[in-house]
């Protein structure tokens, strides 16, 4: 007959379980049970104090295992031998387990201690020293040179009244010079006075200072100025300017030239010569442009990035303070004369640091700024 079903198919009755025979708990079982419980407790012991408590409870003078060994005397001779052997083996095993647990806990403690510790052998991280922006440095240098010559540094408001920025510097509304100085206007008033604008030069401080002081005056005025300007490589809508003003009895063009020549020598080198060319600014008469001979080439190198072969670099406008401005300040223009000058700090910083685009100064690109 072919065998359609494998052997042990569901049709066959299940095999019978072996008959249940209750097992007697013997003294040897008791030793095994004590050891099992002790090992479990040992795993839960988390520090030296817990280990000591465990040792006392299991292996100590009145410990559980010690109790079994003590009770051996009351057992029948053959059982005593068997139980004694088991108990001694359990004792050795538990002592070894205690030692292993102790080592493990100490190693973990050491590791935890070193993990949070300061490694004094680790080399320090370098601290990068910051430095001043090249325009700020140039501004400070210019200001300090004039301070050494006896000029006092003063600052004025960046948001200025039209009156100070233009009117009282002899630039009335509709004056063509205003075209050069288009700026941002502010739609508010100060002490009921307006219009307000972002100053186009630091020259308003000439008027503000003369209002408050009597001659002799020697001031240098550093600060930010603003222009409503389409930006390109040589024009920014914000620039730094340094203004100079001296008013005293008997000041002449010679004092102006001597002061600026000394400035040029301190700023660009002791060999520098200066040249004054006639120019026009509404608040001076006469007005000049001051140029310094090129400090980067012999003066005739067409590839020179500073003078482009011209040999001269214009660095500022200057002139004798217009008598009308002195009169408006309440000074007697027959007795007092004065000179003034103004220079763009970026225009001086650019050739010195070899920067060809003024816009780079204010883009805050650290790759650019870290070069200086
Ligand atoms: Zn040159």
């Amino acid at each position: 007959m072919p065998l359609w079903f494998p052997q042990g198919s569901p049709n066959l009755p299940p095999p019978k379980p072996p008959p249940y025979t209750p097992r007697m708990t013997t003294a040897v079982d008791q030793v095994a049970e004590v050891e099992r419980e002790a090992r479990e407790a040992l795993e839960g012991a988390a520090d030296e104090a817990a280990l000591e408590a465990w040792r006392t409870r299991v292996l100590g003078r009145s410990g559980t295992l010690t109790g079994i060994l003590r009770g051996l005397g009351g057992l029948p001779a053959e059982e005593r031998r068997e139980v004694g052997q088991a108990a001694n083996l359990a004792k050795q095993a538990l002592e070894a387990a205690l030692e292993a647990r102790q080592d493990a806990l100490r190693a973990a403690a050491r590791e935890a201690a070193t993990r949070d510790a300061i490694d004094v052998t680790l080399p320090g991280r370098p601290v990068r020293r910051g430095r001043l922006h090249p325009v700020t440095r140039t501004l400070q240098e210019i200001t300090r040179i004039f301070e050494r010559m006896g000029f006092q540094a003063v600052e004025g408001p960046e948001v200025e009244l039209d009156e100070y920025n233009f009117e009282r510097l002899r630039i009335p509304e509709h004056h063509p010079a205003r075209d050069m100085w288009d700026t941002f206007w502010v739609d508010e008033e100060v002490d009921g006075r307006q219009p307000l604008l972002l100053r186009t030069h630091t020259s308003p401080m000439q008027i503000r200072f003369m209002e408050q002081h009597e001659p002799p005056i020697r001031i240098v005025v550093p600060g930010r100025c603003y222009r409503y300007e389409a930006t390109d490589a040589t024009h920014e809508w914000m620039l730094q300017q340094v203004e100079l003003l001296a008013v005293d009895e008997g000041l002449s063009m010679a004092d102006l030239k001597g002061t600026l020549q000394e400035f040029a020598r301190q700023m660009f080198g002791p060999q520098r010569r200066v040249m004054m060319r006639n120019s026009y600014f509404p608040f001076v008469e006469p007005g000049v442009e001051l140029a310094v001979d090129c400090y980067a080439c012999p003066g005739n190198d067409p590839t020179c990035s500073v003078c482009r072969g011209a040999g001269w670099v214009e660095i500022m406008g200057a002139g004798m303070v217009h008598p009308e401005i002195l009169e408006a300040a309440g000074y007697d223009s027959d007795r007092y004369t004065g000179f003034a000058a103004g220079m763009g700090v970026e225009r001086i910083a650019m050739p010195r640091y070899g920067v060809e685009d003024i816009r780079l100064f204010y883009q805050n690109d650290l790759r650019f700024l870290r070069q200086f």
Side-chain angles (χ1 to χ4, degrees), residues 133-139 141-142 232-236 238-240 267-268 295-296 304-308 313-315 343-362 368 371-372:
H133 191 284
V135 171
T136 307
R137 244 185 293 166
T138 308
L139 181 86
E141 235 175 297
I142 295 169
D232 62 29
T234 54
H235 294 87
E236 253 297 5
M238 186 201 78
L239 56 144
Q240 303 267 0
M267 192 74 195
F268 300 103
Y295 47 87
C304 174
S305 64
V306 173
C307 74
R308 302 189 192 285
V313 192
E314 280 183 2
I315 55 170
M343 67 200 87
V345 179
E346 291 86 352
R347 289 287 168 85
I348 290 175
M350 282 170 73
R352 291 186 96 212
Y353 291 103
V355 176
E356 307 223 314
D357 191 326
I358 192 172
R359 293 169 293 190
L360 289 168
F361 281 134
Y362 299 115
F368 168 77
Q371 298 176 82
F372 308 107

Side-chain angles (χ1 to χ4, degrees), residues 219-273:
I219 56 168
V220 55
V221 191
R224 283 189 195 84
C225 308
Y226 303 84
R227 305 275 166 90
Y228 182 72
E229 189 106 59
T231 60
D232 62 29
T234 54
H235 294 87
E236 253 297 5
W237 58 270
M238 186 201 78
L239 56 144
Q240 303 267 0
Q241 203 191 26
V242 175
E243 178 89 4
L244 203 66
L245 173 70
V247 180
D248 206 344
E249 285 181 52
L251 289 183
S252 71
M253 283 291 277
D255 297 298
L256 169 64
K257 187 174 181 182
T259 304
L260 297 183
Q261 181 162 316
E262 181 54 26
F263 163 75
R265 286 174 180 171
Q266 290 196 31
M267 192 74 195
F268 300 103
Q271 308 305 317
R272 295 284 65 83
R273 292 178 299 145

Side-chain angles (χ1 to χ4, degrees), residues 310-357:
W312 294 91
V313 192
E314 280 183 2
I315 55 170
M316 70 178 93
M320 299 305 291
V321 179
H322 200 289
E324 281 181 18
I325 287 180
L326 295 173
E327 290 290 339
Y331 300 166
D332 178 356
S333 66
D334 288 330
R335 183 178 169 197
Y336 293 111
T337 49
F339 63 80
M343 67 200 87
V345 179
E346 291 86 352
R347 289 287 168 85
I348 290 175
M350 282 170 73
R352 291 186 96 212
Y353 291 103
V355 176
E356 307 223 314
D357 191 326

